[in-house]
Amino acid sequence: MKKKFYITTTTPYVNANPHIGFALEIVQADVLARYHRLAGDEIFFNTGTDEHGQKIYQKALEVGKDPKAYCDEYAAKFDNLKSSLNLSYTNFIRTTDPHHKKAAQEFWKLCAAKGDIYKANYQIKYCIGCELEKTDSELAEGKCPIHPNLKLEMRKEENYFFRWSNYQSKLLKFYEQHPEFILPNFRFNELKQFVSGGLQDFSISRLKEKMPWGVSVPGDPDHVMYVWFDALVNYISATGWPEDKKSFNDWWPGIQVAGKDNLRQQSAMWQAMLMSAELPNTKQIMIHGFITSGGQKMSKSLGNVVSPYDLVNKYGTDPTRYFLLAKINPFEDSDFTYDKFEEAYNSDLANGLGNLVQRVAKLCELKNLVFSPNPSNPSFPSISSHLENFEFNLALEELWKEFGALDAKINIDKPWEKSDNEAGKDLKAYVAKLLRLTIPLSIFLPETSSKIQRIFKGPKIVAPSVSLFPRLPQSPQSS
C-alpha cells in the first residue's frame, strides 16, 4: 500500500511579483515531493496565494482595481511558476476560493466553541508589511526589522482576540514530545525561547468599515477575519476539510516549508489554533533563511529584488533550480549575485555535468557503440539521508561527487586508446552509470535528467551538437 505524503509551502501575499525567495521555498518543496514520489509515495503537494488583508486592499486601491481583480492578476503570476520552474505541485489554493472561506469560518466556530475567541478593545503598534502586531522587544530602533522603511501604525479599536496565552504550556509540551518538529534545530530553540517568554493573545479580526477585504466573521457582519487567521487555515482547507473528512484524515498532518520570517506564525500561532480546534498538529516544519543580494536584504526600494522569471529566461529552468538547491544554504541566509550564479553554472553545469555527458556521448559515437539500456532504480543512501534532513545542498554535493568520479575514471581508462571491442565494455559501463545517476538527478533537475536519458536510449548513440549547458562567456560584471 502506498504511503501518503503531504507537503505545503506558505501562501505568499499577492501584493507583489514572485521573487527569488519564494522560488527557493517552492523548489525545495518540489524536490521533497519528487523524492517521495520516486520512492513510490502518493503525493499531495499544496501551494497557492494569500489574498486578503490590508496590504493587498491598499495595493488594489492604489492601482484603481477591484481587490478580487487585482488578486486574479497576481495569483496567475504565482501559478505560472509551475511551468517556469518545472514544479510538480498537485494543488493551488487561493484564499479567496469560496470553499476556503467557508472552511476558515468553520475553523473560527470551533475555536469560539472552545472559548478561545473573545472581543475586546486594544491599542497596539502594527506593521502593515508583516500584517502583525509588534511588541517593543521585537523592534529595532522603534522600527520593524523586516520592514524598516514602513512606519508603524498605532491602532486602537474593538477586535476579536484568540487566547494564545492559553497555549504556552501546551505548545512547550508538544515541542518537548516532538524534538524534530522544526528544522534546523537553532530555529526550534529560537521558537521555544520565544514561547517560554509568555504568549499574548492576538487580534484575529478587523473592523469591516475600515478594512472590508477579508473573510466575514461568523455571526458578526461588522468584522472580517485577520488575514493570518484566515490564511493559515489553507493548509487543511486544501484537503477538502471540513466536508471531506476522509481526504483530510488521509493527508493531514503534513510537512510545511516556510521562511524564517514565518517561524512564529507557522510554528506557534497555527499550532495553537489547531489545538484549539482539536485537530492534529503539523508533522514537521522546515524553516529556510533569506536570500540576500550582494550582502544586502532584497527590497524594492534598493532595486535589488531578483525575479525567478528573469533567471529562467536568461539561463534556463534547471540552472535556476540548481543554484537555489546547491548554492543556497537550506537553513542560513545566503547571498545571490549574477557573478556567483554564472560561476556555478560554468563550473558545475557547463564544465561539469554538461561536459561529462558530451564526452561520453562523443566517445560512444566515435566507437560506434551499440547499446541496450537496462533500466534500474538504484538506491543512493547518502543522497536520501540528506534529503530526509532537508539538506538539499549536501545531497547535490553527493550526486556531483558521483559525476566527478565517473569523469576521473574515464581519464584513467583512456578508452580512446583502446580497440573498439575493449572500449565498448568501458563505454557501456559509463553509460549505465550515467543512466543510474539520472534517477536521483530527476529529483533536482528533471529536465536535464530526461535529456540525458534520451541521449543514451540506444541502440546507437549520437552526440548532441550543443552541450546540455552551453558555457557562458566570461564578463567583467554580469547583469
Side-chain angles (χ1 to χ4, degrees):
M1 183 177 178
K2 286 186 176 182
K3 294 180 182 177
K4 293 186 183 292
F5 179 78
Y6 177 110
I7 186 160
T8 182
T9 67
T10 54
T11 48
Y13 278 129
V14 291
N15 66 319
N17 291 320
H19 58 78
I20 193 175
F22 181 66
L24 168 69
E25 181 173 310
I26 201 166
V27 168
Q28 288 174 334
D30 183 67
V31 166
L32 296 172
R34 289 180 183 275
Y35 167 63
H36 282 271
R37 193 177 286 116
L38 186 64
D41 297 344
E42 194 175 344
I43 306 300
F44 190 103
F45 177 5
N46 180 57
T47 189
T49 45
D50 181 359
E51 302 182 16
H52 292 125
Q54 186 163 344
K55 274 195 295 188
I56 292 165
Y57 183 61
Q58 288 183 341
K59 274 288 187 181
L61 292 181
E62 284 174 17
V63 297
K65 290 187 177 181
D66 172 78
K68 181 60 164 62
Y70 175 87
C71 289
D72 290 345
E73 177 186 338
Y74 276 85
K77 294 180 181 183
F78 281 90
D79 201 9
N80 288 340
L81 287 174
K82 185 169 192 177
S83 58
S84 186
L85 292 171
N86 197 0
L87 304 169
S88 62
Y89 59 78
T90 59
N91 190 69
F92 188 92
I93 191 169
R94 298 178 57 184
T95 57
T96 53
D97 292 340
H99 173 264
H100 170 76
K101 290 193 283 188
K102 289 180 181 177
Q105 289 173 325
E106 182 62 26
F107 195 96
W108 178 288
K109 291 176 186 176
L110 290 175
C111 295
K114 192 76 173 289
D116 287 329
I117 294 178
Y118 64 95
K119 190 186 278 189
N121 288 306
Y122 83 128
Q123 181 171 332
I124 51 101
K125 294 174 182 176
Y126 187 82
C127 174
I128 295 177
C130 293
E131 296 270 19
L132 283 174
E133 303 163 14
K134 295 293 177 178
T135 61
D136 289 338
S137 63
E138 295 175 290
L139 303 178
E141 299 181 353
K143 297 178 179 180
C144 170
I146 300 174
H147 302 96
N149 297 327
L150 292 178
K151 185 178 179 180
L152 291 173
E153 291 189 359
M154 293 302 297
R155 295 192 168 185
K156 184 177 182 179
E157 62 185 42
E158 185 181 58
N159 283 177
Y160 286 94
F161 283 76
F162 178 78
R163 295 187 193 276
W164 205 15
S165 55
N166 277 357
Y167 290 90
Q168 179 184 5
S169 60
K170 293 174 185 176
L171 284 169
L172 292 173
K173 183 178 180 181
F174 174 75
Y175 299 154
E176 184 181 352
Q177 292 173 340
H178 300 84
E180 295 188 349
F181 176 59
I182 295 172
L183 286 178
N185 196 53
F186 69 86
R187 293 287 178 216
F188 203 3
N189 290 336
E190 180 184 326
L191 179 76
K192 286 185 281 191
Q193 185 177 3
F194 168 77
V195 175
S196 296
L199 298 176
Q200 296 181 350
D201 298 349
F202 60 87
S203 169
I204 57 171
S205 78
R206 298 291 180 262
L207 284 170
K208 189 175 287 186
E209 64 179 3
K210 292 184 178 181
M211 208 292 294
W213 185 237
V215 179
S216 296
V217 167
D220 191 336
D222 294 333
H223 285 259
V224 295
M225 291 184 196
Y226 163 59
V227 61
W228 276 103
F229 191 95
D230 141 40
L232 290 167
V233 178
N234 95 86
Y235 304 127
I236 60 173
S237 68
T239 69
W241 185 90
E243 297 90 352
D244 193 341
K245 294 290 197 301
K246 182 182 185 306
S247 176
F248 171 70
N249 292 329
D250 281 348
W251 294 111
W252 188 258
I255 307 284
Q256 295 183 223
V257 181
K260 68 177 186 179
D261 54 336
N262 264 266
L263 176 64
R264 177 177 30 146
Q265 297 93 308
Q266 308 296 334
S267 309
M269 290 169 65
W270 172 229
Q271 303 311 313
M273 288 163 59
L274 285 166
M275 290 174 178
S276 177
E278 298 185 356
L279 296 171
N281 287 99
T282 304
K283 185 181 293 182
Q284 193 174 36
I285 302 176
M286 180 232 165
I287 300 292
H288 62 80
F290 287 155
I291 299 181
T292 56
S293 177
Q296 292 182 300
K297 186 180 186 297
M298 289 189 184
S299 72
K300 285 180 285 185
S301 60
L302 292 173
N304 62 355
V305 175
V306 176
S307 162
Y309 289 116
D310 290 346
L311 289 179
V312 169
N313 289 337
K314 187 171 184 178
Y315 303 106
T317 295
D318 277 2
T320 301
R321 288 176 64 104
Y322 180 79
F323 186 87
L324 292 173
L325 295 165
K327 304 305 178 181
I328 300 295
N329 187 292
F331 307 123
E332 304 274 6
D333 290 356
S334 299
D335 199 50
F336 170 92
T337 65
Y338 280 92
D339 284 341
K340 288 179 179 178
F341 188 104
E342 293 190 358
E343 181 184 351
Y345 178 104
N346 278 334
S347 63
D348 297 359
L349 299 178
N351 297 341
L353 178 58
N355 182 65
L356 173 63
V357 171
Q358 188 90 355
R359 187 184 192 192
V360 173
K362 192 65 180 174
L363 284 168
C364 291
E365 186 180 47
L366 289 172
K367 295 295 184 177
N368 296 309
L369 181 70
V370 177
F371 184 73
S372 298
N374 182 22
S376 62
N377 195 0
S379 63
F380 293 88
S382 58
I383 294 173
S384 297
S385 175
H386 287 309
L387 286 178
E388 292 290 343
N389 291 308
F390 310 126
E391 296 165 337
F392 309 101
N393 55 339
L394 298 182
L396 272 170
E397 192 176 295
E398 290 293 331
L399 184 53
W400 250 249
K401 283 179 185 176
E402 295 283 348
F403 289 130
L406 177 57
D407 210 23
K409 181 166 175 53
I410 295 171
N411 289 336
I412 293 170
D413 292 343
K414 298 180 180 179
W416 54 87
E417 295 181 355
K418 297 180 180 179
S419 66
D420 288 356
N421 187 48
E422 288 180 320
K425 294 177 183 177
D426 290 339
L427 293 173
K428 286 180 180 179
Y430 305 156
V431 172
K433 181 167 185 181
L434 260 182
L435 288 175
R436 283 197 302 272
L437 292 174
T438 63
I439 305 302
L441 183 66
S442 68
I443 298 168
F444 308 97
L445 310 184
E447 188 179 307
T448 302
S449 174
S450 295
K451 285 180 180 178
I452 296 172
Q453 290 172 16
R454 287 196 295 271
I455 291 169
F456 296 104
K457 65 181 180 180
K460 294 282 284 185
I461 297 172
V462 179
S465 57
V466 179
S467 171
L468 291 175
F469 303 101
R471 184 173 173 79
L472 300 172
Q474 295 286 352
S475 58
Q477 184 173 3
S478 301
S479 60

